[in-house]
Amino acid sequence: MNILVIGGAGYIGSHMTLQLVQSGHQVIVLDNLYSGQAAAVGSLPFYEADMADIAVLDQIFQNHDIDAVMHFAGYIEVAESVSDPAKYYQNNVVKTQQVLDTMCRYKVKQFIFSSTAAIFGNPSYTPIDETHPKQPVNPYGRSKLMVEQILADYENAYGLRSVCLRYFNAAGADPLGRVGECHQPETHLIPLVLQAASGRRQSISVFGVDYDTEDGSCVRDYIHVNDLCSAHSNALHYLAEGGASSAFNLGNGAGFSVLEIIQAAERVTGKAIKLIKETRRAGDPAILIADASLAKEVLTWQPQRAALEDIIADAWAWEQILCATHAG
Ligand SMILES: NC(=O)c1ccc[n+]([C@@H]2O[C@H](COP(=O)([O-])OP(=O)(O)OC[C@H]3O[C@@H](n4cnc5c(N)ncnc54)[C@H](O)[C@@H]3O)[C@@H](O)[C@H]2O)c1
């Protein structure tokens, strides 16, 4: 298939393009490099442009016989979405709608969307399945839920079929070291912990050690980025076979606390990691764990690299590549 990957220069999108190419698909990347790296695109056809640039979208849909669109492009910082919601609604909602409208004009009717656990807000039960109430507590989560709602309306009215994949915490890196996570600023726990291990940062802050969890720190569900990508590949197949629009939660179904992550990182890296206990941050639920049974059943998806130490080992190998790059 000819797949347009929007946000294909970013963390998850760049792993996706590698997997798609390996499966024999033709991949076209659109990314404005707001937070992505041109090097992560390699030699694929690459349109460096904003996804709202209609002239470029026209060019892409006219030049390539696009079968499906995978959409990873989004702003992802929760705190920034609270201080500047306009930026998030503009990029994550308004520009996404322009992509959908262009797809409809060119009669491209298969869409896979990066959604998030943040659409659920504070969990009323855990593990979180797809029927859990959707009450996001920040503009980032609301922007993703709005797109999910737009997609339901677009299927009813225009026949655009979609799969929304709600990631819990993406982590790890390509085991061959070709791509990995490098957000600026980095806000995700595992790369921050590994930066503390490598010496790129002095310490790691633990926000809240008085939660109602076993060791008092927050518990999250970490899923290897390549396992997220394989769920997209299965979703592509599902849509190509005529599957109806659906949404799936993606995680390993196991939770690890912040303190457990730090201890696991110390074991994997062999380094002592300095931690600083801080007060809780506003809006952090104690526990977020996915119930991914629906994805396993409907998409016949099974995470392959679920062991926490494997996820951290891949992220650590990537952190060492970044260190070498910075030193160079
Ligand atoms: N990383 C996670 O743990 C996680 C968890 C849940 C959901 N998600 C979602 O997955 C998606 C990908 O996340 P990521 O961690 O790879 O983020 P990322 O920032 O690494 O990648 C996003 C990519 O989209 C590009 N982009 C952003 N706005 C654009 C625009 N207007 N036009 C063209 N390109 C644009 C960026 O340059 C970047 O390359 C996001 O939509 C995010 O909300 C990520």
Side-chain angles (χ1 to χ4, degrees):
M1 293 170 81
N2 294 330
I3 319 288
L4 172 60
V5 179
I6 308 180
Y11 169 44
I12 304 169
S14 60
H15 289 78
M16 189 73 239
T17 62
L18 289 176
Q19 202 173 100
L20 288 169
V21 169
Q22 201 180 339
S23 308
H25 296 292
Q26 300 298 319
V27 177
I28 297 96
V29 174
L30 168 63
D31 198 300
N32 64 1
L33 299 184
Y34 169 82
S35 56
Q37 321 284 324
V41 181
S43 56
L44 295 172
F46 177 35
Y47 293 81
E48 184 185 333
D50 196 281
M51 64 176 153
D53 188 329
I54 300 292
V56 173
L57 284 174
D58 278 334
Q59 212 184 329
I60 293 172
F61 283 98
Q62 282 162 17
N63 290 351
H64 309 272
D65 191 12
I66 302 293
D67 296 299
V69 175
M70 288 190 181
H71 180 41
F72 297 89
Y75 294 157
I76 64 168
E77 286 169 50
V78 170
E80 187 186 46
S81 81
V82 174
S83 60
D84 193 358
K87 177 174 174 178
Y88 278 69
Y89 291 124
Q90 179 67 25
N91 199 57
N92 293 4
V93 182
V94 176
K95 291 184 178 181
T96 296
Q97 196 194 345
Q98 292 185 12
V99 170
L100 297 176
D101 290 343
T102 309
M103 286 178 64
C104 289
R105 267 200 294 122
Y106 286 94
K107 304 198 172 5
V108 177
K109 298 284 175 76
Q110 298 178 53
F111 186 74
I112 299 179
F113 178 59
S114 297
S115 188
T116 169
I119 65 159
F120 295 109
N122 290 316
S124 42
Y125 60 86
T126 186
I128 298 173
D129 60 14
E130 286 76 7
T131 59
H132 186 284
K134 286 141 201 95
Q135 291 161 338
V137 292
N138 51 60
Y140 168 68
R142 278 190 280 277
S143 74
K144 294 286 181 175
L145 182 57
M146 284 176 192
V147 172
E148 289 203 10
Q149 290 164 336
I150 290 171
L151 286 170
D153 291 337
Y154 271 48
E155 175 173 34
N156 286 338
Y158 313 126
L160 189 150
R161 285 177 305 119
S162 63
V163 170
C164 297
L165 296 173
R166 300 160 179 158
Y167 319 151
F168 280 60
N169 290 60
D174 170 38
L176 299 180
R178 293 166 293 181
V179 289
E181 184 166 13
C182 39
H183 294 118
Q184 301 275 359
E186 190 54 77
T187 56
H188 293 146
L189 181 66
I190 290 178
L192 288 174
V193 167
L194 295 177
Q195 285 176 15
S198 72
R200 282 210 293 148
R201 80 176 42 237
Q202 302 246 297
S203 60
I204 180 78
S205 294
V206 179
F207 295 102
V209 284
D210 56 352
Y211 284 96
D212 187 14
T213 59
E214 212 144 283
D215 63 23
S217 64
C218 286
V219 170
R220 295 290 180 267
D221 184 337
Y222 296 88
I223 172 94
H224 197 287
V225 60
N226 277 355
D227 284 329
L228 288 181
C229 292
S230 69
H232 288 70
S233 297
N234 293 12
L236 193 63
H237 183 71
Y238 166 85
L239 286 177
E241 296 283 297
S245 292
S246 267
F248 301 99
N249 295 354
L250 297 181
N252 276 316
F256 294 95
S257 73
V258 175
L259 294 175
E260 284 174 325
I261 294 291
I262 296 171
Q263 287 152 11
E266 288 189 323
R267 286 196 299 276
V268 170
T269 64
K271 312 268 185 195
I273 297 169
K274 185 176 172 202
L275 66 89
I276 298 174
K277 294 181 178 173
E278 314 248 21
T279 52
R280 294 180 180 197
R281 285 185 307 202
D284 272 343
I287 302 178
L288 284 176
I289 298 174
D291 177 346
S293 11
L294 191 67
K296 289 178 181 167
E297 184 193 321
V298 178
L299 299 180
T300 57
W301 173 70
Q302 193 57 50
Q304 300 298 316
R305 210 153 163 78
L308 179 64
E309 300 211 350
D310 289 341
I311 294 174
I312 294 178
D314 289 344
W316 177 234
W318 176 249
E319 168 62 14
Q320 286 167 302
I321 292 170
L322 289 180
C323 285
T325 314
H326 283 252

